[in-house]
Amino acid sequence: MKVAMPVLTAGAGLHETLALLTSQLRPDANHTEDMVFLKDVFSERSLGYLMKIHEKLRQYERQSPTPVLHSASSLADDVAEELQSGPMSSEEKELLNLLTSPHLKAVLSVHDTVAQKNFDPVLPPLPDDFEDELDEESVKIVRLVKNKEPLGATIRRDEASGAVIVARIMRGGAADRSGLVHVGDELREVNGVSVIHKRPDEISQLLSQSQGSITLKIIPAIKEEDRLKDSKVYMRALFDYIPLEDKATPCQEAGLPFKRGDILQVVTQDDPTWWQAKRVGDSNLRAGLIPSKLFQERRLAYRIKMGTLPTPQSPKKPPYDQGCDKAGLRRSFRLSRKDRQGSSGEGSDSEDSDFLTYEEVTRYQQRSNERPRLVVLIGSLGARINELKQRVIAENPHRYAVAVPHTTRPKKPHEKEGVEYHFVTKQQFDTDVLDNKFIEHGEYKENQYGTSIEAIRSVQAKNKMCIVDVQPEALRRLRTSEFKPYIIFVKPRVPESRRRRSAATSPGGGEHSRVTDDDLQEMRQSAIQIDQQYGHFVDRVLIKEDSASACTELKGILERLERESLWVPVSWVRT
């Protein structure tokens, strides 16, 4: 006996048809498992929801609704203005409150946005035919909108199969934002042009020349990689990098240019040769390629071996600001630091290699229970950093202090032990030198002078910020997690010649009085040499116009140092 199929009404939808079909399924002795499977599939709640969504979309397509008004917001503003122009009844006041409420204004604004634009997606037409050679391979047609920006992907030729493979996806680029292109995908066509027999550089040119939308035919990788979240690895660049001058980069347009001192967020280190990174504070959210630390060190080593790059060691000792004689430039005793073997001070991560590449950093802000950070001044010839330091300390001795130096010279009648100097015997001084207690030391008129680590600790123990001025060689000893030094490079603004000096630097009232053009050239050269050899250690450069303005700027730096978070080597804050 056959059971009659119920008749559907004319307005029945897909979900009703599906429900009716499910109710008519009857177990069959020969196909029990098939029937149970179909019933389970048709009874799935998610499938019913999809059918309802499909019906609503079809209704929308048939009705093609059009907005009655494209500017509801303007109409509401006009009505509100009209209501406010005269006396209002209670109903009119209520209407005015409604029309001026933020929520209704937002709804009307959204209405106008939708009414004035066409949001229906425009999909690319499917190809009329697929290549027979693809056989059973799954093909993905992807259309991306990239405007004038790069696609954000690099390609390579697979050595085994000869296929064109997506080598990397640049974070934040058009390909990455789409989520449709992945590392390992095989590229077959670009805008309908086959790339199977093209060279990678020809394909890259084809991709870069495509403006607006670009259509790709892709065979997805067998296993698509999960999209990694942006890492929290930050690096301080210790060198300048210009991708357009780097012939080794896989794609110069995808390279990220940066300068020494820039903070880079490394978003992926999957490739051992080329990292992807963004510049912190850069408005461009797309990542770019930078050479990895290992790769940069290897090619620097190769250039040294081939004689195209000088060794990291300095060929000669540059002139520093060592105090002054009556001409304001020549050195006094301070401080001819002698090289020591076996320095016991811990160094930062950048000391692990002679090559300047990157230094991993993190944000750090001094807490109330921590000792103040050490402030280190280095200066080129003519900077007079000792005078600058003393002036800042004299204006606020309760907040800032200097590390009292040691000396072997006899104490003068007006001097006090531990105030001007720590007075010690020559034997004791030599013992302290052997014990590596000084960050630097030197000899002047047959007397020894030195600044000890304990003198710095003594100042910090009083919760004062210790300010020291040292020769740049001492930076390696001071850059430790204990001191967390903030390093300021002070250099005078040097005029081009004596004739172009302003009234502030003219004889009789300036800091550069009686300075010759040769002196000015020596000052310029001093600043250049220090910057080349020690600039990667520097946190801030202070250009000294005159003592008053330099003092004001230095005080501002010290105040920000206490209240702001700053980048420091990550090893300084690891527990």
Side-chain angles (χ1 to χ4, degrees), residues 304-520:
I304 289 176
K305 181 180 178 181
M306 299 303 294
T308 58
L309 184 73
T311 57
Q313 284 72 26
S314 173
K316 66 176 183 177
K317 185 175 181 180
Y320 311 127
D321 178 57
Q322 300 292 336
C324 58
D325 63 6
K326 60 183 180 181
L329 286 174
R330 304 297 174 234
R331 308 179 190 184
S332 65
F333 75 91
R334 277 209 341 90
L335 268 172
S336 180
R337 175 185 178 271
K338 299 176 181 177
D339 292 335
R340 294 181 299 271
Q341 299 296 324
S343 175
S344 61
E346 62 171 307
S348 66
D349 291 350
S350 63
E351 303 305 322
D352 296 339
S353 170
D354 288 332
F355 300 113
L356 301 179
T357 55
Y358 308 100
E359 179 180 54
E360 187 176 357
V361 293
T362 187
R363 283 280 190 180
Y364 169 78
Q365 184 170 13
Q366 178 185 315
R367 294 187 288 268
S368 58
N369 60 339
E370 292 180 317
R371 291 182 175 183
R373 293 181 64 181
L374 175 66
V375 176
V376 182
L377 304 180
I378 61 172
S380 57
L381 204 59
R384 299 171 177 259
I385 54 176
N386 184 50
E387 295 175 11
L388 178 61
K389 174 191 67 176
Q390 296 293 352
R391 182 167 179 170
V392 170
I393 293 173
E395 291 188 12
N396 199 338
H398 302 291
R399 196 171 178 181
Y400 311 124
V402 64
V404 177
H406 287 62
T407 182
T408 59
R409 75 163 173 78
K411 184 173 63 172
K412 297 178 181 178
H414 67 278
E415 293 177 328
K416 295 181 181 179
E417 166 62 30
V419 178
E420 289 84 6
Y421 290 97
H422 293 292
F423 298 96
V424 296
T425 64
K426 188 177 185 307
Q427 181 180 4
Q428 180 61 51
F429 193 98
D430 291 341
T431 300
D432 290 345
V433 169
L434 293 175
D435 291 340
N436 215 20
K437 292 185 177 181
F438 294 112
I439 57 173
E440 63 178 6
H441 60 89
E443 183 176 325
Y444 178 65
K445 293 185 178 179
E446 300 182 353
N447 293 312
Q448 297 290 106
Y449 296 83
T451 303
S452 70
I453 294 176
E454 284 303 321
I456 296 175
R457 291 170 178 161
S458 176
V459 173
Q460 293 180 325
K462 299 174 184 176
N463 203 33
K464 291 184 179 182
M465 185 176 288
C466 184
I467 306 176
V468 298
D469 59 302
V470 299
Q471 290 190 23
E473 292 99 327
L475 296 179
R476 294 180 181 274
R477 183 77 188 278
L478 291 174
R479 292 189 88 241
T480 67
S481 58
E482 176 187 2
F483 295 131
K484 298 181 177 65
Y486 188 83
I487 300 167
I488 304 172
F489 177 23
V490 183
K491 55 183 180 180
R493 185 175 297 281
V494 183
E496 294 183 13
S497 68
R498 294 181 63 200
R499 296 183 182 87
R500 296 195 178 186
R501 283 183 291 158
S502 65
T505 59
S506 61
E511 294 185 359
H512 299 320
S513 59
R514 293 169 297 179
V515 176
T516 66
D517 284 341
D518 289 340
D519 291 331
L520 296 179

Side-chain angles (χ1 to χ4, degrees), residues 6-286:
V7 179
L8 291 171
T9 62
L14 270 177
H15 74 283
E16 294 176 349
T17 304
L18 185 63
L20 187 61
L21 179 61
T22 303
S23 67
Q24 296 303 310
L25 291 175
R26 296 287 183 270
D28 185 276
N30 298 324
H31 304 284
T32 303
E33 292 184 1
D34 295 339
M35 289 296 182
V36 172
F37 171 75
L38 283 176
K39 191 168 185 177
D40 290 343
V41 170
F42 291 162
S43 301
E44 275 288 334
R45 184 176 300 177
S46 58
L47 183 59
Y49 290 154
L50 287 174
M51 296 299 104
K52 290 183 178 181
I53 292 171
H54 178 270
E55 290 171 23
K56 292 296 182 183
L57 292 175
R58 291 298 302 271
Q59 289 178 13
Y60 168 80
E61 187 178 25
R62 287 194 297 268
Q63 295 172 0
S64 298
T66 57
V68 177
L69 189 68
H70 291 78
S71 55
S73 296
S74 299
L75 179 60
D77 292 339
D78 293 342
V79 173
E81 185 178 350
E82 184 69 25
L83 289 172
Q84 290 175 314
S85 63
M88 290 183 289
S89 64
S90 59
E91 290 82 2
E92 288 173 330
K93 289 180 180 179
E94 183 179 0
L95 176 59
L96 179 62
N97 289 334
L98 286 173
L99 292 177
T100 56
S101 67
H103 297 299
L104 184 60
K105 290 173 74 70
V107 170
L108 295 178
S109 175
V110 171
H111 168 273
D112 292 348
T113 301
V114 175
Q116 295 169 16
K117 295 184 179 180
N118 179 15
F119 288 97
D120 288 340
V122 179
L123 300 177
L126 290 174
D128 295 332
D129 56 344
F130 291 98
E131 297 178 7
D132 296 336
E133 62 189 63
L134 297 180
D135 298 329
E136 299 297 324
E137 294 176 308
S138 129
V139 174
K140 185 163 59 174
I141 306 298
V142 176
R143 169 173 277 186
L144 303 176
V145 178
K146 73 181 193 69
N147 298 324
K148 295 182 179 180
E149 65 176 317
L151 177 63
T154 61
I155 57 175
R156 63 178 175 84
R157 178 77 68 178
D158 185 84
E159 296 181 359
S161 64
V164 179
I165 304 297
V166 177
R168 60 175 63 80
I169 301 295
M170 310 306 298
R171 297 300 172 86
D176 179 54
R177 295 196 305 271
S178 74
L180 301 174
V181 184
H182 302 84
V183 173
D185 286 351
E186 181 183 347
L187 184 62
R188 287 298 183 95
E189 288 184 6
V190 175
N191 290 338
V193 178
S194 174
V195 298
I196 295 177
H197 301 296
K198 290 185 178 294
R199 300 191 310 273
D201 60 320
E202 293 177 323
I203 302 172
S204 296
Q205 186 175 7
L206 184 63
L207 291 170
S208 63
Q209 290 176 347
S210 301
Q211 300 298 329
S213 63
I214 179 171
T215 303
L216 308 175
K217 180 185 287 186
I218 289 173
I219 298 178
I222 296 176
K223 182 179 179 181
E224 293 185 344
E225 295 182 355
D226 294 332
R227 302 179 70 198
L228 302 175
K229 295 182 179 179
D230 283 356
S231 73
K232 299 299 181 183
V233 177
Y234 295 91
M235 297 283 186
R236 188 199 310 274
L238 304 181
F239 65 105
D240 296 340
Y241 179 64
I242 305 175
L244 296 179
E245 297 179 359
D246 187 357
K247 296 180 180 179
T249 180
C251 179
Q252 291 182 332
E253 290 75 12
L256 177 71
F258 57 80
K259 292 186 175 296
R260 187 186 65 187
D262 285 349
I263 304 298
L264 308 174
Q265 181 186 6
V266 181
V267 298
T268 175
Q269 296 176 325
D270 295 341
D271 190 321
T273 306
W274 295 97
W275 292 345
Q276 294 185 35
K278 306 173 186 177
R279 277 194 305 268
V280 172
D282 197 338
S283 58
N284 186 0
L285 299 179
R286 294 191 303 274

Side-chain angles (χ1 to χ4, degrees), residues 542-561:
L542 193 161
I543 306 297
K544 186 181 179 184
E545 297 275 3
D546 55 76
S547 295
S549 62
C551 182
T552 300
E553 184 175 352
L554 178 57
K555 287 190 294 184
I557 294 172
L558 300 181
E559 290 172 0
R560 288 193 297 272
L561 183 60

